[in-house]
């Protein structure tokens, strides 16, 4: 079995050596790749660029290295595109990885993005920064598996390396502007900067940021001229002014007059593909009159609709906190009366 050592090597050199090694293997042959971190993104890049499927298993070694066993598969069907499933990837990395992947495509190349929610913010980010140089087609809109075909049609330029996300809000429908920006900001790491281009300084947005994040960000007008204002927002320490309870959690997030809260279920550290199963298992363990506080890094709206369709009249759902990067929802089982009145009509449904 061939072994490829990628420690310590420059990232671009890693990619070239990996591509060269995999290109020299036959279908069904396995190569061991040893790296200082998960190299799964490079395997996705290879599949996209070389139109060959790969299968891989990953283990963390005792010495801190990451070992991958990669098996070469058959060529992708003619005119087909390979899947790029990001559901097991931490949400904070997804946009960075996907925009980097897009930038490495040549005209006519593409992939099928598989995600656990509608990746529309990515669409707006690409449209804002890469213009009309791509095609975007929804293939599936299932709550747990969104599939979007993304194909690069022309050469495009990447954004400033100092900026992790950029949006030209003049190209985004008004009703989607603020939710898109807040969603993306929730996945920006502390110290990173996102950029907004608007027809004028977006003071209402700045007011929203002050309300939601207090003094935990900086707002810089980097450029201003008639019809165009470029603002840079850098994320600071997390937290909001005026919050109560531990770690900035409002007390109402863990209290209820109608349900006994049994636990706080924080799924943010779980791979996205495992979250729904863990949540449904927790729900199955509840008795009538009990609930748990679900903590997630984005609005779990698709989960609501799945519960609504499958759980019956005892299902209860109440938003407690809606901050980018931290959504809290009380999920529980209520008492269903013999008269069959069913669910409270005032349920806070995410329509």
């Amino acid at each position: 079995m061939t072994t490829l050592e990628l420690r310590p090597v420059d990232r671009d050199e890693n990619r070239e050596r990996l591509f060269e090694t995999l290109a020299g293997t036959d279908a069904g042959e396995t190569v061991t790749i040893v790296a200082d971190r998960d190299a799964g993104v490079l395997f996705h890049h290879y599949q996209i660029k070389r139109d060959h499927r790969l299968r891989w298993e990953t283990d963390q070694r005792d010495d801190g290295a990451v070992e991958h066993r990669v098996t070469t598969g058959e060529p992708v069907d003619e005119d087909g595109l390979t899947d790029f499933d990001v559901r097991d990837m931490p949400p904070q990395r997804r946009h960075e990885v996907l925009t980097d992947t897009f930038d490495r495509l040549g005209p006519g190349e593409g992939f099928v993005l598989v995600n656990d929610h509608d990746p529309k913010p990515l669409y707006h980010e690409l449209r804002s920064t890469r213009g009309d140089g791509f095609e975007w087609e929804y293939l599936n809109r299932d709550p747990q598996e969104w599939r979007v075909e993304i194909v690069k049609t022309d050469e495009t330029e990447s954004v400033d390396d100092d900026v992790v996300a950029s949006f030209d809000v003049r190209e985004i429908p008004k009703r989607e502007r603020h939710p898109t920006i807040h969603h993306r900001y929730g996945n920006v790491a502390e110290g990173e900067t996102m950029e907004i281009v608007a027809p004028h300084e977006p003071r209402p947005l700045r007011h929203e940021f002050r309300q939601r994040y207090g003094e935990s960000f900086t707002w810089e007008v980097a450029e201003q001229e008639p019809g165009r204002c470029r603002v840079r927002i850098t994320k600071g320490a997390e937290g909001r002014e005026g919050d109560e309870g531990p770690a900035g959690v409002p007390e109402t997030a863990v209290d209820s007059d109608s349900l006994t809260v049994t636990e706080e279920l924080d799924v943010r550290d779980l791979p996205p593909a495992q979250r729904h199963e863990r949540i449904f298992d927790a729900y199955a363990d509840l008795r009538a009159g009990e609930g748990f506080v679900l903590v997630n890094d984005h609005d779990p709206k698709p989960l609501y609709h799945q519960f609504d369709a499958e759980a019956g009249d005892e299902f209860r759902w109440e938003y407690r906190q809606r901050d980018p990067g931290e959504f809290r929802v009380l999920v529980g089982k209520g008492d269903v009366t013999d008269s069959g009145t069913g669910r409270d009509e005032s349920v806070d449904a995410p329509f």
Side-chain angles (χ1 to χ4, degrees):
M1 181 185 298
T2 302
T3 299
L4 176 63
E5 173 67 62
L6 296 182
R7 300 174 301 164
V9 186
D10 175 80
R11 181 182 179 187
D12 287 335
E13 186 177 343
N14 273 348
R15 187 171 179 271
E16 292 177 6
R17 293 179 63 207
L18 176 67
F19 277 34
E20 181 180 347
T21 299
L22 293 176
T25 62
D26 297 325
E29 186 177 348
T30 299
V31 177
T32 298
I33 310 292
V34 180
D36 55 7
R37 62 177 182 173
D38 192 329
V41 172
L42 295 179
F43 305 149
H44 282 292
H45 287 178
Y46 181 85
Q47 292 184 120
I48 293 167
K49 297 291 288 186
R50 298 298 175 90
D51 292 329
H52 254 78
R53 301 190 190 281
L54 301 175
R55 291 182 291 104
W56 62 90
E57 298 177 353
T58 302
D59 289 318
Q60 185 78 43
R61 299 199 325 196
D62 292 340
D63 62 359
V66 180
E67 182 176 295
H68 309 272
R69 292 175 298 282
V70 185
T71 303
T72 305
E74 298 296 332
V76 177
D77 295 337
E78 187 175 355
D79 298 327
L81 296 178
T82 60
D83 287 355
F84 194 162
D85 191 336
V86 300
R87 289 175 294 179
D88 287 333
M89 189 178 296
Q92 284 191 337
R93 290 200 62 211
R94 294 182 190 178
H95 278 241
E96 176 189 357
V97 167
L98 289 168
T99 53
D100 178 66
T101 300
F102 178 84
D103 289 336
R104 293 179 181 276
L105 297 176
E109 295 179 337
F111 57 90
V112 175
L113 168 61
V114 184
N115 200 18
D116 53 14
H117 62 273
D118 187 352
K120 198 166 210 177
L122 176 68
Y123 168 84
H124 289 310
E125 185 169 352
L126 290 176
R127 188 66 72 196
S128 295
T129 56
R130 277 73 169 178
D132 298 325
F134 69 97
E135 294 176 349
W136 177 285
E137 180 183 357
Y138 285 99
L139 304 178
N140 188 47
R141 302 174 191 249
D142 185 271
Q144 295 186 59
E145 184 178 282
W146 290 72
R147 297 175 65 86
V148 182
E149 183 177 284
I150 303 173
V151 177
K152 193 173 195 175
T153 55
D154 295 301
E155 290 292 351
T156 58
E157 295 183 3
S158 59
V159 297
D160 188 336
D161 289 340
D162 294 333
V163 175
V164 298
S166 182
F167 293 95
D168 188 337
V169 301
R170 298 171 297 181
E171 304 296 327
I172 303 176
K174 286 186 177 181
R175 69 182 181 279
E176 298 178 13
R177 291 178 183 176
H178 287 207
T180 295
I181 292 167
H182 284 297
H183 172 89
R184 185 66 178 96
Y185 182 79
N187 290 327
V188 170
E190 182 177 336
E192 292 182 335
T193 299
M194 65 182 298
E195 187 174 87
I196 298 168
V197 177
H200 49 75
E201 184 178 357
R203 295 183 186 275
L205 179 67
R206 181 176 184 178
H207 180 65
E208 284 185 12
F209 266 66
R210 288 290 181 212
Q211 286 184 318
R212 295 191 183 200
Y213 317 121
E215 301 298 326
S216 65
F217 69 96
T218 60
W219 178 284
E220 176 194 0
V221 178
E223 180 182 350
Q224 190 161 15
E225 59 186 42
R228 187 176 191 274
C229 179
R230 184 163 56 90
V231 175
R232 288 191 165 196
I233 305 171
T234 302
K235 193 171 191 176
E238 295 288 351
R240 290 179 54 188
E241 294 180 344
D243 284 337
E244 301 175 359
V249 179
E251 294 294 341
T252 54
V254 293
D255 191 18
S256 171
D257 294 333
S258 59
L259 296 175
T260 299
V261 177
T262 60
E263 68 171 323
E264 180 174 287
L265 179 59
D266 191 336
V267 299
R268 291 174 293 183
D269 289 336
L270 289 177
Q274 297 178 16
R275 296 181 187 182
H276 280 217
E277 180 180 0
R278 177 69 182 88
I279 294 165
F280 276 101
D281 285 346
Y283 182 81
D285 290 339
L286 295 176
R287 294 178 294 184
E290 294 181 339
F292 59 87
V293 175
L294 169 64
V295 186
N296 199 21
D297 49 26
H298 62 273
D299 189 348
K301 185 191 304 183
L303 184 71
Y304 167 83
H305 292 298
Q306 189 170 352
F307 268 118
D308 189 45
E310 300 176 6
D313 288 340
E314 72 275 9
F315 166 56
R316 298 291 184 269
W317 176 284
E318 182 179 350
Y319 282 103
R320 295 302 200 181
Q321 184 173 335
R322 310 187 200 211
D323 292 336
E326 185 171 323
F327 278 73
R328 291 174 176 265
V329 182
L330 179 62
V331 181
K333 291 181 179 177
D335 292 313
V336 180
T337 65
D338 292 336
S339 60
T341 54
R343 192 176 311 164
D344 185 352
E345 293 300 326
S346 64
V347 64
D348 187 13
F351 299 122

